[in-house]
Structures are given as structure tokens and as C-alpha cells.
Amino acid sequence: MSKDLTERFEKYADLIIKVGLNLQKGQRLMIRAPIEAVELTRALTAKAYDVGCPYVDVTFGDEELELIRFEHAPKDSFEEFPKWRVKGSIERAEQGAAFLSIAGNNPDLLKDQDPEVVALTRKVASEQSKPFSREYISNMRVSWCVISAAVAPWAARVFSNEPEHRQVDLLWDAIFQMCRLGEPDPTAAWRDHIDALERRRAYLNDKAYTALKYTAPGTDLMLGLPKGHIWKGGIDQNADGTTFVPNIPTEEVFTLPDCNRVDGMVSSTKPLNYGGTLIDNFSLTFQGGKVVGVEAETGREVLKKLTETDEGAARLGEVALVPHSSPISTVGKLFYNTLFDENASNHVALGQAYSVCLEGGEAMAPDDFARAGGNNSVTHIDFMIGSDEMDIDGILEDGSTEVVMRDGEWAFEA
Ligand code: ZN
Ligand code: ZN
């Protein structure tokens, strides 16, 4: 490994341990990493011990093993799940451990496998993991962070036009750029960035707009915001009150739209990769919150099917604001990875809304959540609508209008 890469892993690890996880002296750490990320994992482990972590527990995974399972395991064995892992995570969570997940995935790994078996495996995993993933991660009881590492098959997909021996390095360059590691003091730069997100969301929460009005080429949309909506983003707090940043990088402030009050047309500004199909140059027309028109240059049928997954798949569950000048947007590539693609620009999502974005939402039954404007669905698919030509206005309770974004950038001081 080059000296340059070693130095950059040091900076990256420093950022993740100090800002991402904000790991405290005496706090244990669990890491899940792809085997390709062994050097980065070692750097992270050293940093964790340096801040006083008593034990770093690392689990390495190999995606190819998943593929081998699909190709060789008995067809009736796909409801098997290693429950002991969930129990182990809960045991560590009860001790106050922090959890780091390093994503580095081949977006095409399972593209030739039976979609029903793939769906079954995902369903089994998500159901079996719930006692940990919902009770500790989604509920923010523990500190956690998701980051990325460059791995060859992923790099090959993102940089398919570049020579093979350059692809992984180019993906690392992109990850470091998007994580602001080129700044003289990345940790300080991130604290500033997180503070700025915090001020933006406080401003928006204070305003309590009843709707946002979007204007851009191909977009003329009135998007209602429910009473009691909460803008989130950047930083969170675990059960002990220690702050952490769940995603690095992160650029968005987001909340839930009123799933019954979305009207007009919205056009995509980046392609959407859905289950291996690229849906490009598409637009959706909404009436009373529901999709009533689907147009797309490519992938129209898949997009239409997606909106028919269930009742809520034809309604919006997320609205997120990201300035056009954000580092991810500047890189200007499709990464086939939610961590980056979801943070690239202003976006909305079809499907499930986050209950934490509504006052009292976590305690509500799905029916009550829906009555308050929260969307319910098995799916949640983000797509990018932002550009340097997008204007957004906030509509106040009394009907008056204020600027939120102009030409894709924040238009208010916070
Ligand atoms: Zn989002
Ligand atoms: Zn989302």
C-alpha cells in the first residue's frame, strides 16, 4: 500500500472515530467490514484503542460467500439465519458499545439470481435482525455510523470507462473528496459542516412551513408538510445523550411530506438504479399525494411497477434538501450506493416515511401515522430532483411565502 493511502486512511479513521462515532473512553466498538477493507479496519482499530476503547470486535465479511450460497446451497435453506450474531450485537449494545458498518458492495452481485430467493433472503435477514436493528439502531439507543470503502467490483461499476488498475484508486479518491479529507483539518471541517446542518434544520423547524413549492425545468410541485413535522439531519444522540453522526458523508436535512398533499409534476435530475435497472430522465405527476402519471426515457415500466408495489409506493415518504454545491454533487457520478447517491442533491423518496420525523410519530400505530400525513409502505426509494436551476419557497401558516433555496443553493442565513 502506498504511503499516501496509509496517511489518508489515518485521517479517515480519525474522522470516523472522533466525529462519526464520537467514541468515548471506556466505550467498546463493534466493526463490520468487507475483507477488502482490512487496512482501513486496522487504522480504525488503532484509533479506537488510542481514545481509550477497551475492546474492538471486528467481523469481516466476504460478499463472494453470499454468491456462493446462492449458487450452491440447498434451495430450501434460505430461511436459515445466524441468530447468534443478533444476540451478540444486543449483548454488546447493552454494554453501551458503538457500532461501525463499512459498506463496500458489488451492486451487481446477485443480478443473475432468482429475484424471489433474493427477496426472501432480505426479508428473513430484516425480520431476524429486528430485535437489534430496530430496538438499538433505528431507535438511536446506541451510537452507530455507516461509512464506505472502495472495493474492486464496485469501483469497476462506477469507473467502467477507466483502466482496471486505476478503478479502486479513483473510487478511494472520490470517497475521500466526498468525505472532505482534502481539507487541512478534516475533523474540524466536519464539525463545522455538522453545525451548519444543525442550524439549517433548527431554522426550518422554527418556521414550520405548511408546504414547500419547487420550481425548476420540468418541475412545478407543491409539497405539503404535515403539522408536527421535524427536520432531521447530521447529528443524533444515543440513550446516554452522547452525540454521533450516523452517516459519513452526510449532506441532507430531511423530513416527511404530507402523503396526501403533494400536487404537480417533478422531474428527475439523476438516473435511478432500481434492482439492476437504470431508470433515467423520468417525471412523476401527483394529485392529492398520489402518483397519477409516470413518464421516463428509459425504465418506465420498472418505475411504474415500483409505484404499484403497494398503496404507499405511489406516495412520498421523504423530502430532503441538499445544496447543489455539496461535495457529492460536485463529483457528479452515480455511485450505485445509497450513502452517496442519496446525498447528491435535493431529493424525495417514494414509500415509507420516518416516524422520527413526526412529533410523537414513534409511538403511533401505522393508521394514526397515516392520518397525521405519514406514509406507510414496504418500500423506500430515493430519487434526485435537485439542480442549479431549482428554486424552493416555504409557505407559512398565513399563506405568505419565503425563500428557502435559489438556483439550488440555500437562500436564507442560519
Ligand atoms: Zn434522504
Ligand atoms: Zn431516503
Side-chain angles (χ1 to χ4, degrees):
M1 204 170 60
S2 69
K3 185 171 160 279
D4 180 46
L5 199 54
T6 310
E7 270 172 23
R8 293 200 290 178
F9 282 167
E10 280 277 308
K11 279 190 182 176
Y12 194 27
D14 197 62
L15 173 68
I16 304 311
I17 297 295
K18 291 184 182 157
V19 179
L21 292 167
N22 186 20
L23 197 69
Q24 304 292 300
K25 189 170 186 283
Q27 191 180 18
R28 294 172 182 84
L29 174 61
M30 300 272 281
I31 302 180
R32 272 176 51 189
I35 45 173
E36 293 93 332
V38 61
E39 304 288 348
L40 172 63
T41 305
R42 286 174 186 156
L44 285 159
T45 302
K47 287 282 176 211
Y49 286 129
D50 286 346
V51 301
C53 171
Y55 199 81
V56 182
D57 220 331
V58 178
T59 310
F60 283 108
D62 174 21
E63 271 198 325
E64 289 297 314
L65 294 178
E66 201 186 338
L67 184 58
I68 289 169
R69 183 181 177 213
F70 273 87
E71 289 172 343
H72 296 265
K75 294 284 166 257
D76 61 356
S77 67
F78 285 83
E79 301 211 27
E80 281 281 318
F81 188 81
K83 285 189 194 165
W84 65 273
R85 282 184 202 272
V86 180
K87 287 184 198 146
S89 296
I90 292 173
E91 188 183 312
R92 281 307 197 194
E94 285 296 323
Q95 295 173 325
F99 291 78
L100 177 65
S101 180
I102 306 178
N105 303 95
N106 175 0
D108 300 317
L109 185 78
L110 301 176
K111 73 174 190 329
D112 297 327
Q113 304 308 312
D114 182 348
E116 285 193 8
V117 184
V118 175
L120 172 68
T121 324
R122 298 229 164 105
K123 193 173 150 226
V124 169
S126 90
E127 272 168 10
Q128 297 283 348
S129 308
K130 255 185 199 166
F132 174 66
S133 63
R134 199 182 50 194
E135 299 305 321
Y136 293 90
I137 299 292
S138 309
N139 289 353
M140 309 286 174
R141 272 169 74 183
V142 294
S143 302
W144 56 274
C145 186
V146 180
I147 63 163
S148 289
V151 300
W154 176 27
R157 183 69 191 267
V158 179
F159 293 99
S160 53
N161 298 328
E162 302 287 343
E164 206 181 314
H165 69 277
R166 292 271 302 132
Q167 291 166 344
V168 170
D169 284 348
L170 285 169
L171 184 51
W172 273 127
D173 287 347
I175 291 173
F176 291 146
Q177 187 185 336
M178 292 184 285
C179 290
R180 296 178 163 80
L181 291 188
E183 301 277 336
D185 184 348
T187 306
W190 265 90
R191 289 196 173 117
D192 289 348
H193 171 54
I194 295 297
D195 283 350
L197 284 177
E198 194 66 27
R199 291 195 305 273
R200 299 281 177 210
R201 75 174 193 173
Y203 175 96
L204 292 167
N205 281 332
D206 223 48
K207 290 289 180 183
Y209 293 123
T210 60
L212 297 178
K213 184 175 167 28
Y214 289 74
T215 321
T219 294
D220 186 358
L221 188 77
M222 188 64 98
L223 182 146
L225 296 172
K227 236 187 171 51
H229 68 271
I230 302 166
W231 289 92
K232 303 269 263 172
I235 213 157
D236 257 290
Q237 239 177 44
N238 71 15
D240 302 329
T242 307
T243 58
F244 64 99
V245 181
N247 292 327
I248 290 201
T250 184
E251 303 292 336
E252 61 174 357
V253 290
F254 63 94
T255 189
L256 80 175
D258 185 328
C259 67
N260 299 312
R261 285 197 295 124
V262 180
D263 291 278
M265 182 157 126
V266 63
S267 291
S268 69
T269 50
K270 283 196 168 54
L272 165 65
N273 176 50
Y274 180 68
T277 304
L278 214 59
I279 306 166
D280 207 359
N281 290 324
F282 59 96
S283 63
L284 297 173
T285 306
F286 289 86
Q287 231 170 56
K290 201 172 160 122
V291 172
V292 292
V294 178
E295 292 303 331
E297 213 172 272
T298 45
R300 181 177 180 274
E301 276 316 299
V302 176
L303 179 59
K304 199 159 181 306
K305 270 246 146 56
L306 161 64
T307 64
E308 290 161 1
T309 311
D310 59 19
E311 180 61 32
R315 294 174 187 272
L316 294 183
E318 179 189 339
V319 46
L321 302 176
V322 181
H324 183 73
S325 59
S326 86
I328 298 175
S329 175
T330 313
V331 171
K333 288 198 81 75
L334 187 63
F335 285 93
Y336 307 95
N337 172 307
T338 20
L339 198 54
F340 300 114
D341 294 332
E342 269 202 45
N343 275 297
S345 91
N346 284 326
H347 57 272
V348 288
L350 289 166
Q352 183 66 43
Y354 299 111
S355 56
V356 289
C357 289
L358 187 68
E359 255 169 55
E362 280 159 292
M364 284 180 191
D367 279 357
D368 295 325
F369 187 55
R371 263 190 292 278
N375 198 26
N376 293 306
S377 172
V378 294
T379 189
H380 177 100
I381 306 289
D382 296 80
F383 60 96
M384 301 300 131
I385 60 172
S387 70
D388 60 359
E389 295 176 286
M390 176 162 267
D391 290 345
I392 303 176
D393 289 332
I395 317 287
L396 286 161
E397 186 91 50
D398 65 7
S400 61
T401 294
E402 294 183 346
V403 290
V404 174
M405 281 189 153
R406 282 293 174 268
D407 301 320
E409 300 300 324
W410 293 116
F412 60 82
E413 290 302 320

